[in-house]
Amino acid sequence: MTKEISAYEALEKTIEQLSAQLNQRTEELAVINSVQEGLAKEMDIQAIYDLVGNRIRELFDAQVVGIATFDHEKQTENINYLIEKGERYYPVPRPLNTLRKHLIQTKEKVLINKNFEVVAEAFGMKKIPGTEHPKSALYVPMVIGDKVTGNISIQNIDRENAISDSDVRLLETLANTMGVALENARLFDETTRLLKETEQQKAELGVINSVQEGLAKELDMQAIYDLVGDRIRELFNAQAVVIATFDHDTATEHFKYLIEDGQRFYLASRPYDKLRQHLIVTRQKIVINSNYEAAYAKFGLKTLPGTNPTKSAVFVPLIIGDKVNSYISLQNNEIENAFSESDIRLLETLANSMSVALENARLFDETTRLLKETEQRTAELAVINSVQEGLARELDMKAIYDLVGNKIRDVFDAQAVIIATFDHDAGTEKFNYMIEKGERYYAEPRRYDKLRYQLIMTKQKILINNNIEEAFKEFGLKVVAGTEMPKSLLFVPLIVGNKVTSYVSLQNADKENAFKEADVRLLETLANSMSVALENARLFDETNRLLKETEQRTSELAVINSVQEGLVAQMDMQSIYDLVGEKIRHIFNAQIVDIVIYDKTKNVIEDRYANEKGDRTLLEAREPKGFRKHVINSRQPLVINKDLEKHLAEYDNEILIGEIPKSNLFVPLILRGEVNGIISLQNTDQENAFSDSDVSLLTTLANSMSVAL
């Protein structure tokens, strides 16, 4: 019976031990499962430390539970979880003391069940501010591979010997099994953190690359602000995104990008408020995640026209050197606390990185603007110099208009260029230069339309970049015969004194909105500069014309006087022809001069004067043919300035003596409506030798000589 009782007691004891071991395994698995549960829920590592720490508190009779990890490089411990009598503590990392170093070196637990203060002094242990010294404590290392990564601690501040052998075994077992699980959780958290950092870097690079992309595409500065602003909108949960720059000289901010709920706003510049001044002075971000009404009052903020009041906002300055040049703002008008710490960190990181990139873009834009201004000045000077060049070469006014018009064609993206002058007395415009798609047009003068009248009255440019059909109806415009209907038009008046004397027009037949503000500014600048230069050229041309007319009258009188002189001196008729012929030879650029008389009754012509490079041979009477026959029949001058061989065949003309000329001018001598002779000039060296003024002068001389002779 006794043996049976002993066996029963032994069996019962074994059952109790197995039951205790089973409970320990169950409790251990519960804690491990808590870690796995945290991983499954993708909680962050701190949440997992909290979950495990709370579970350990439920298992042990301990007023204090601590979980800490070691940073071996920095020789510090980071206390991830610490609770005493229900109160949570968040101590900062601290250097490893002797006890922690002992744990790391020995990889063995440290159990202090009595005389804690003596042991604590030996291990260099110090209380965390606000906590008590325990009377019993257990420190169990967490070992991964051959390395102690941290420790779990349970402490009782009420009594000694509070921690039993089973507590030690359970916590050691938990530490052994939890070590790997917590390390996996830590690695998972580290991986997540690195992924987030990678995403943050990717987002940051995305915005920076947007700036670089804008530079690479040679976008203007506004296009870069738009590109960057749109990119930031994609990254953050914000109904509103603002990018603004500061003009410190005028103490104003300029809104470069402002969008709210998908709607773009274009606001005028405005003076700094207190918030902007605070950004500039402190160079620190401003986060307003709640009580926005109080912030409105504190900073003197105002809701921008057309936008909604904000509930959450963050303002981050963009700093170059030591100076705040601009800022980015995210705003949420639906919820408070919309922007997390990670949002703010990302925006700060972006701002730090973007500052230089945007400043480089701004400097690039400024450089481009200055280059364009330089090009504009160069283009302006080129056109003005063209006018001066024309004057220096003593070109006629038509040549100067051609020279200036061609220069303007080179400067602008326009298929058509027109330069026209106004005759205010006749109410007409004269087209001095008109070209479209490389083809030159010579339109007749025409009456003012409403557009020209508006140019004259307002002295202001007229830009028509779209809806051209409506403009044609409004101004009564008409397409010049043979030209295309334009899609964009720009007219700029040329003003001398207070009077519009002419205009320049650019026209694009391919596209609307062809002429930008820069085009308008440049053409206006050119027009302002050209007005006086072209007027001087016109006056110079007019002076030359009057001088030539005076010379023409002088030459005419000289020839007439020669005839009179011959009559007075009672010279014979042949001497008078010789005298007149020599006078003409000295006046004109001609190697050949001849004067023939025409006898209508006999239908013959006979030389009275001939000189071809000194050869004075006279031809006898003959029937008129070719060019001279045409002049006799038409009683009109005949000019053949090029393609002489073709005209010889056309008029059935033959060269009876001497060289074949390259330019010819034949003018009839007419008396009482009848042709009684012909004066001929011929140039054997060059085509286009005889100008309109030559024709006019020789015709006048012929008319005057007919009577005198």
Side-chain angles (χ1 to χ4, degrees):
M1 188 71 178
T2 303
K3 288 182 180 180
E4 290 178 359
I5 291 172
S6 297
Y8 177 79
E9 288 175 349
L11 180 60
E12 190 175 63
K13 188 174 182 180
T14 301
I15 291 170
E16 286 178 1
Q17 289 175 347
L18 291 172
S19 177
Q21 289 177 3
L22 179 62
N23 288 337
Q24 184 170 322
R25 293 290 177 270
T26 302
E27 290 165 351
E28 174 188 336
L29 285 172
V31 178
I32 304 307
N33 287 338
S34 298
V35 178
Q36 301 301 334
E37 180 185 341
L39 286 172
K41 289 182 179 179
E42 296 185 12
M43 299 172 73
D44 62 29
I45 189 68
Q46 186 56 54
I48 293 174
Y49 282 124
D50 294 348
L51 186 147
V52 172
N54 290 336
R55 196 62 187 250
I56 290 174
R57 283 181 62 212
E58 296 169 4
L59 291 176
F60 294 93
D61 177 22
Q63 289 86 11
V64 180
V65 174
I67 302 174
T69 53
F70 298 140
D71 185 331
H72 292 283
E73 290 181 5
K74 297 180 181 178
Q75 288 290 294
T76 56
E77 73 167 331
N78 302 309
I79 300 175
N80 308 106
Y81 180 92
L82 177 60
I83 200 161
E84 179 180 288
K85 292 184 176 180
E87 185 176 351
R88 187 68 182 266
Y89 291 85
Y90 300 91
V92 296
R94 62 182 184 177
L96 297 174
N97 58 24
T98 305
L99 184 139
R100 271 71 182 179
K101 290 178 181 178
H102 178 81
L103 287 174
I104 292 168
Q105 290 170 0
T106 64
K107 303 181 184 65
E108 299 289 341
K109 70 179 183 295
V110 173
L111 174 62
I112 308 169
N113 251 335
K114 60 182 180 180
N115 300 322
F116 184 86
E117 291 183 1
V118 175
V119 177
E121 186 175 351
F123 278 118
M125 300 168 67
K126 294 182 180 179
K127 285 195 304 178
I128 289 171
T131 64
E132 299 179 34
H133 260 316
K135 293 186 176 179
S136 304
L138 172 61
Y139 302 87
V140 175
M142 294 188 291
V143 183
I144 301 295
D146 196 39
K147 190 175 184 180
V148 175
T149 60
N151 75 94
I152 302 173
S153 170
I154 58 174
Q155 301 173 25
N156 192 303
I157 58 179
D158 293 337
R159 56 194 173 88
E160 293 184 336
N161 298 304
I163 300 170
S164 65
D165 291 344
S166 62
D167 292 331
V168 173
R169 283 194 305 274
L170 175 56
L171 195 60
E172 281 186 309
T173 305
L174 283 174
N176 291 335
T177 52
M178 277 172 57
V180 175
L182 282 177
E183 180 65 8
N184 288 341
R186 188 191 67 77
L187 292 174
F188 178 83
D189 183 72
E190 180 70 7
T191 303
T192 303
R193 183 185 65 78
L194 291 173
L195 280 173
K196 285 182 179 177
E197 282 188 6
T198 302
E199 288 173 4
Q200 181 169 321
Q201 295 298 324
K202 185 179 177 182
E204 174 189 345
L205 286 171
V207 179
I208 305 309
N209 287 340
S210 298
V211 180
Q212 302 300 334
E213 179 185 340
L215 285 173
K217 290 182 178 177
E218 296 184 10
L219 295 175
D220 61 27
M221 195 61 201
Q222 185 55 54
I224 292 175
Y225 280 122
D226 293 347
L227 190 145
V228 171
D230 290 342
R231 195 64 186 255
I232 288 174
R233 281 180 62 211
E234 296 168 5
L235 292 176
F236 295 95
N237 175 31
Q239 283 81 26
V241 174
V242 180
I243 302 175
T245 57
F246 294 130
D247 184 335
H248 295 291
D249 294 332
T250 59
T252 55
E253 66 174 329
H254 303 277
F255 295 99
K256 302 298 182 181
Y257 181 93
L258 173 56
I259 201 163
E260 180 180 285
D261 293 326
Q263 183 179 354
R264 188 68 183 269
F265 293 86
Y266 299 90
L267 301 180
S269 302
R270 66 177 187 179
Y272 298 159
D273 54 26
K274 291 180 182 177
L275 185 143
R276 274 72 183 178
Q277 289 174 334
H278 184 81
L279 278 178
I280 293 165
V281 172
T282 65
R283 299 191 290 279
Q284 298 296 319
K285 69 180 179 290
I286 296 173
V287 181
I288 305 168
N289 255 335
S290 59
N291 299 322
Y292 210 85
E293 295 80 2
Y296 263 61
K298 174 183 176 183
F299 290 115
L301 302 178
K302 294 179 182 179
T303 300
L304 296 170
T307 65
N308 296 313
T310 300
K311 291 189 175 179
S312 304
V314 55
F315 298 83
V316 173
L318 275 68
I319 304 170
I320 297 295
D322 200 36
K323 195 173 184 180
V324 175
N325 290 325
S326 50
Y327 70 87
I328 304 172
S329 175
L330 305 179
Q331 301 178 22
N332 191 304
N333 53 34
E334 293 178 351
I335 55 173
E336 293 187 337
N337 300 301
F339 303 114
S340 66
E341 287 186 9
S342 61
D343 291 329
I344 295 166
R345 281 198 306 272
L346 174 56
L347 191 62
E348 283 187 301
T349 304
L350 286 175
N352 291 337
S353 304
M354 280 169 56
S355 295
V356 175
L358 280 177
E359 180 66 6
N360 287 342
R362 189 192 67 77
L363 292 173
F364 179 83
D365 184 71
E366 180 70 6
T367 303
T368 303
R369 183 186 66 78
L370 292 173
L371 281 172
K372 284 182 179 177
E373 283 189 5
T374 303
E375 289 171 3
Q376 182 169 323
R377 295 293 172 267
T378 303
E380 173 189 343
L381 287 171
V383 178
I384 305 308
N385 288 339
S386 298
V387 180
Q388 303 300 336
E389 181 185 339
L391 287 172
R393 291 182 184 174
E394 298 184 11
L395 296 172
D396 59 25
M397 196 61 199
K398 180 178 178 301
I400 291 175
Y401 279 123
D402 291 349
L403 190 146
V404 172
N406 290 337
K407 202 74 180 181
I408 289 173
R409 280 181 61 211
D410 296 339
V411 172
F412 293 95
D413 174 25
Q415 286 82 16
V417 175
I418 297 173
I419 303 174
T421 52
F422 293 129
D423 184 335
H424 294 291
D425 294 331
T428 58
E429 65 175 330
K430 178 185 177 184
F431 296 101
N432 306 105
Y433 179 92
M434 181 186 294
I435 200 162
E436 181 180 282
K437 294 185 175 179
E439 184 176 351
R440 190 67 184 270
Y441 292 85
Y442 301 90
E444 293 296 319
R446 64 181 185 180
R447 301 286 300 176
Y448 299 160
D449 54 28
K450 291 180 182 177
L451 186 143
R452 273 71 178 179
Y453 186 74
Q454 182 170 317
L455 275 180
I456 293 166
M457 296 302 294
T458 65
K459 304 181 183 66
Q460 298 295 319
K461 72 176 182 293
I462 296 174
L463 174 62
I464 305 167
N465 252 336
N466 49 41
N467 300 323
I468 202 76
E469 293 82 2
E470 292 181 16
F472 263 61
K473 290 178 184 177
E474 178 186 352
F475 289 114
L477 302 178
K478 293 181 181 179
V479 175
V480 172
T483 64
E484 296 181 32
M485 171 78 83
K487 292 184 177 180
S488 303
L489 287 168
L490 174 59
F491 294 84
V492 173
L494 276 68
I495 304 170
V496 176
N498 199 34
K499 192 174 183 180
V500 175
T501 58
S502 50
Y503 69 86
V504 182
S505 175
L506 304 179
Q507 303 181 18
N508 192 302
D510 295 338
K511 58 183 178 178
E512 293 187 335
N513 300 303
F515 304 119
K516 310 301 181 189
E517 286 185 13
D519 296 321
V520 176
R521 283 197 305 271
L522 175 55
L523 193 61
E524 283 187 305
T525 304
L526 287 174
N528 292 336
S529 304
M530 281 167 53
S531 296
V532 175
L534 281 177
E535 179 66 6
N536 288 341
R538 189 192 67 78
L539 292 173
F540 180 81
D541 185 70
E542 180 70 7
T543 302
N544 279 344
R545 186 185 64 79
L546 293 173
L547 282 171
K548 285 180 180 178
E549 283 187 4
T550 302
E551 289 172 0
Q552 183 171 320
R553 295 292 174 266
T554 303
S555 300
E556 176 187 340
L557 287 171
V559 176
I560 303 306
N561 288 339
S562 297
V563 177
Q564 300 299 333
E565 180 186 332
L567 291 172
V568 170
Q570 295 182 345
M571 296 172 69
D572 59 33
M573 199 62 195
Q574 184 57 48
S575 297
I576 293 174
Y577 278 119
D578 291 343
L579 187 146
V580 172
E582 287 298 306
K583 203 74 176 178
I584 290 173
R585 197 163 67 85
H586 288 109
I587 292 173
F588 294 95
N589 176 30
Q591 287 83 20
I592 303 172
V593 177
D594 68 34
I595 303 172
V596 301
I597 60 170
Y598 173 61
D599 186 337
K600 183 179 180 181
T601 59
K602 296 179 181 180
N603 191 32
V604 294
I605 58 173
E606 185 179 354
D607 288 358
R608 284 290 180 261
Y609 175 86
N611 192 324
E612 179 176 346
K613 296 182 178 179
D615 184 357
R616 300 290 299 271
T617 302
L618 299 177
L619 297 177
E620 294 184 354
R622 60 201 182 274
E623 182 183 349
K625 292 183 179 181
F627 300 145
R628 289 179 178 83
K629 181 180 178 181
H630 174 81
V631 172
I632 291 168
N633 292 335
S634 68
R635 293 183 294 179
Q636 296 294 324
L638 175 63
V639 183
I640 300 172
N641 258 332
K642 61 181 181 178
D643 302 326
L644 187 67
E645 290 185 0
K646 182 180 79 172
H647 290 96
L648 287 171
E650 180 184 348
Y651 287 95
D652 192 23
N653 194 89
E654 59 180 332
I655 305 298
L656 299 177
I657 188 173
E659 296 181 39
I660 297 176
K662 294 184 177 180
S663 303
N664 289 270
L665 172 57
F666 300 88
V667 174
L669 294 163
I670 300 174
L671 183 62
R672 301 185 190 93
E674 298 290 336
V675 175
N676 57 25
I678 299 171
I679 304 174
S680 171
L681 305 179
Q682 299 174 35
N683 191 303
T684 59
D685 295 337
Q686 66 186 82
E687 292 186 337
N688 299 302
F690 303 119
S691 65
D692 291 343
S693 61
D694 291 330
V695 177
S696 176
L697 175 55
L698 193 59
T699 301
T700 304
L701 287 172
N703 291 337
S704 303
M705 282 171 56
S706 294
V707 176
L709 285 170

